[in-house]
Amino acid sequence: MLDRDSENNGVLPNGIAIPHHQVNDTWYRVDESQRVIEMVSIMRSGEGQIVQVGVYSDGTGWNSATGAIEPSEPYVLSAFDSQFLWDLGQFEASGSQPQITEEILPDGGAGLLFVIRDEFEDSPVELISYELPVIGTEIRALFGQDDGYLHRKEVIFRLLDGSERVSISLEKQMTFEEPTEEAFAYLAKKEEAVKK
């Protein structure tokens, strides 16, 4: 979920608006070196309507919003942390340390909550997403202690008037299972587009 002052999060080339509330399902097939050799990513609105689909296979990528076929190479599947390690690196570069507490996961398992905060009241930042300048940020990331996976991440902005906005709120679930018929159908649709 994205929280912005704008009506949507932009408009795709096919005229479909990118919603603030979205559900993204991504399926990867990797080789023994953890390189992605096939990928299907489906973005849906909060109501379940398909917004766009991205497909990668056989050295090319296809996007349903543009219809474009682009060359692409297999890539190593890396962290599923929604850029939290990058956020943490930026934070620690200033000499700060995250706050870490134990928290129970939604499924009852043990989790660790990492919280990093940055205040910049003396130099507010103008963002295109908000009418008021931002004077502070807080990033909260919940990882499972048993699986090490990111389960939830929030980015909170404190605005000039003292109010807070949860700019990004996401929940992640990872499964290891066979691809759906829908994923296979989009792989076939992409191959048809390549042949045209």
Side-chain angles (χ1 to χ4, degrees):
M1 169 91 74
L2 304 172
D3 175 34
R4 305 286 191 267
D5 287 338
S6 58
E7 184 179 345
N8 54 53
N9 205 39
V11 178
L12 295 167
N14 61 2
I16 296 176
I18 301 172
H20 293 312
H21 183 202
Q22 46 186 259
V23 177
N24 293 281
D25 290 317
T26 305
W27 168 78
Y28 298 97
R29 184 161 75 95
V30 298
D31 65 14
E32 62 280 349
S33 302
Q34 301 304 311
R35 292 184 319 149
V36 175
I37 52 178
E38 289 182 328
M39 181 276 300
V40 177
S41 181
I42 304 170
M43 177 192 290
R44 290 183 171 85
S45 68
E47 295 77 34
Q49 297 170 319
I50 291 179
V51 176
Q52 66 175 329
V53 179
V55 179
Y56 166 77
S57 64
D58 299 322
T60 57
W62 170 80
N63 182 281
S64 65
T66 64
I69 304 291
E70 301 286 340
S72 183
E73 293 298 321
Y75 57 92
V76 175
L77 191 60
S78 56
F80 290 100
D81 67 350
S82 294
Q83 297 184 328
F84 181 72
L85 283 179
W86 184 88
D87 296 329
L88 188 59
Q90 297 297 307
F91 181 71
E92 290 181 335
S94 66
S96 301
Q97 293 295 317
Q99 174 188 346
I100 305 171
T101 56
E102 292 187 353
E103 185 170 310
I104 302 299
L105 299 173
D107 65 4
L112 287 177
L113 179 66
F114 292 76
V115 179
I116 54 179
R117 292 184 184 92
D118 193 8
E119 302 290 333
F120 34 89
E121 293 179 358
D122 294 338
S123 54
V125 176
E126 299 274 350
L127 296 178
I128 194 169
S129 304
Y130 300 108
E131 294 177 7
L132 291 175
V134 174
I135 58 173
T137 62
E138 178 175 301
I139 300 173
R140 305 168 62 85
L142 178 63
F143 289 87
Q145 289 192 46
D146 294 330
D147 59 22
Y149 296 138
L150 176 69
H151 288 252
R152 184 179 71 229
K153 181 181 175 185
E154 295 177 322
V155 178
I156 302 161
F157 289 135
R158 190 160 59 89
L159 304 181
L160 190 60
D161 65 355
S163 64
E164 292 186 347
R165 302 278 293 271
V166 181
S167 176
I168 298 171
S169 176
L170 66 86
E171 294 184 15
K172 293 186 88 123
Q173 293 180 336
M174 287 193 57
T175 60
F176 297 88
E177 58 191 41
E178 291 296 316
T180 62
E181 290 184 15
E182 184 180 41
F184 280 127
Y186 277 113
L187 281 165
K189 187 170 186 174
K190 180 256 182 186
E191 289 308 311
E192 289 174 13
V194 168
K195 292 174 183 175
K196 289 183 180 177

